[in-house]
Amino acid sequence: MTVSDNIQRPLGAPRTYPEPKAALTLIKPITWFPPMWAYFCGTISSGGSVAENWALVVLGVLLAGPIVCGMSQAANDWCDRHVDAINEPNRPIPSGAISEFDVQVQMYTLLFGGWAAAWTLDQWCEHDWPVVTVLVLFGSYISYIYSAPPLKLKQEGWRGNYALGASYIALPWWAGQAVFGELSLDVMVMTVLYSIAGLGIAIVNDFKSIEGDKALGMNSLPVAFGIDTAKWICVASIDVTQLGVAAYLWAIGETWYAAVLAGLVLPQMFSQISFLQDPVNNDVKYQAAAQPFLVFGILTTALAIGHHTF
């Protein structure tokens, strides 16, 4: 089957549907966890009654992960389909496992479904201003300009990586907090800064693609600054951000939470030793060892904010 079988089929020919595995691969389930976790942390930081309103948690987690993040992954593959045909011919679109028509159906179903789910949350929470819907609309726009020309933020190191980090941390966190409480300026600023750590994680993923990025004109940070400089930018953005948040928690009186967060940074720094020695070959090893501590650090911060608020 070619990528146009479902578009150019003869009149009256039976409809060909994509394999379920291909449709699922397109939206990359492995990428759903960070925004789902950030939404959950937003609900915790609100100090609201999460257990009594579990349906709001479930709908929001589905919105942040399979729906909005899944849509962004489908859009990314759609925009990169011609490049993937050269570099990753086994991806669902260039391999023909799913047609371009079905990609668009899946992409727009998730897009409009996400808007509907966000509006439902706003109505459910009786928001005077549809804050969740606005956040999802903005997130949809970011995912589009991240992948699509002429902006195509993924081609630009700083802006692209930060857009990715903020989409995975700040935006879903804000949505979760808005559903269960009120967004405050200090929390918005803190999560925007926390997204710098997400920028660092995004840089980790760039080291394995240096040669391909150079060939395709992708200005990732390892390409722009070289491996030696980029690896230090990477670890510094991850460590300094978290230590800065720990200092903020200490300053507002949440000393125990600040100490726990600082303690969670230490094993990440230990894991960075081998990464700094060879970031190209040790990127996966580093992420497997360090990211659980980053994840629990985000939860620790959410618990601290929730405890401080109420």
Side-chain angles (χ1 to χ4, degrees):
M1 183 178 74
T2 67
V3 296
S4 60
D5 279 347
N6 285 351
I7 301 176
Q8 302 294 334
R9 69 185 188 279
L11 184 64
R15 176 78 162 86
T16 303
Y17 293 94
E19 303 170 8
K21 182 179 179 181
L24 190 61
T25 300
L26 182 71
I27 55 178
K28 300 186 181 91
I30 196 172
T31 65
W32 300 348
F33 178 75
M36 291 167 66
W37 185 256
Y39 175 87
F40 176 71
C41 288
T43 68
I44 297 297
S45 70
S46 71
S49 181
V50 175
E52 295 177 5
N53 297 281
W54 59 268
L56 294 175
V57 178
V58 172
L59 180 57
V61 164
L62 292 174
L63 174 63
I67 300 176
V68 175
C69 185
M71 180 277 299
S72 70
Q73 297 300 332
N76 182 71
D77 269 29
W78 170 254
C79 293
D80 287 351
R81 63 193 185 281
H82 302 301
V83 175
D84 287 343
I86 300 172
N87 296 322
E88 296 184 85
N90 291 326
R91 291 293 305 158
I93 299 175
S95 69
I98 185 170
S99 75
E100 294 185 6
F101 175 82
D102 285 315
V103 171
Q104 294 184 63
V105 169
Q106 187 171 350
M107 184 169 57
Y108 286 112
T109 298
L110 291 173
L111 178 66
F112 296 129
W115 296 353
W119 181 257
T120 299
L121 283 172
D122 281 320
Q123 297 304 303
W124 204 338
C125 298
E126 299 181 346
H127 288 153
D128 294 330
W129 190 68
V131 57
V132 180
T133 302
V134 171
L135 288 172
V136 170
L137 289 171
F138 181 67
S140 301
Y141 172 71
I142 292 296
S143 68
Y144 174 76
I145 64 173
Y146 178 79
S147 302
L151 296 179
K152 206 173 178 81
L153 295 181
K154 65 185 296 182
Q155 290 183 332
E156 305 179 31
W158 290 111
R159 291 199 298 173
N161 286 338
Y162 185 76
L164 190 63
S167 297
Y168 277 6
I169 296 178
L171 293 181
W173 184 309
W174 295 356
Q177 184 150 354
V179 167
F180 281 87
E182 296 291 335
L183 272 177
S184 58
L185 182 60
D186 58 338
V187 171
M188 293 180 72
V189 171
M190 183 201 68
T191 50
V192 164
L193 294 176
Y194 220 135
S195 299
I196 297 175
L199 179 150
I201 297 300
I203 297 172
V204 173
N205 295 322
D206 289 336
F207 285 98
K208 65 179 179 294
S209 306
I210 293 176
E211 294 305 319
D213 288 346
K214 286 180 179 178
L216 296 171
M218 305 280 282
N219 196 33
S220 66
L221 292 188
V223 171
F225 292 96
I227 292 177
D228 288 338
T229 300
K231 68 183 183 183
W232 287 106
I233 294 174
C234 174
V235 299
S237 63
I238 294 171
D239 297 344
V240 173
T241 296
Q242 294 177 89
L243 292 173
V245 173
Y248 169 75
L249 296 180
W250 186 281
I252 64 175
E254 299 296 337
T255 53
W256 283 107
Y257 289 105
V260 171
L261 179 57
L264 288 168
V265 177
L266 295 178
Q268 297 178 61
M269 297 177 73
F270 178 77
S271 299
Q272 288 165 356
I273 295 174
S274 61
F275 172 75
L276 289 170
Q277 292 171 344
D278 188 353
V280 176
N281 292 315
N282 292 332
D283 58 339
V284 175
K285 177 183 176 182
Y286 165 66
Q287 292 199 66
Q291 283 202 26
F293 297 100
L294 174 66
V295 165
F296 282 108
I298 295 174
L299 178 60
T300 299
T301 303
L303 290 168
I305 297 299
H307 180 263
H308 185 73
T309 303
F310 290 86

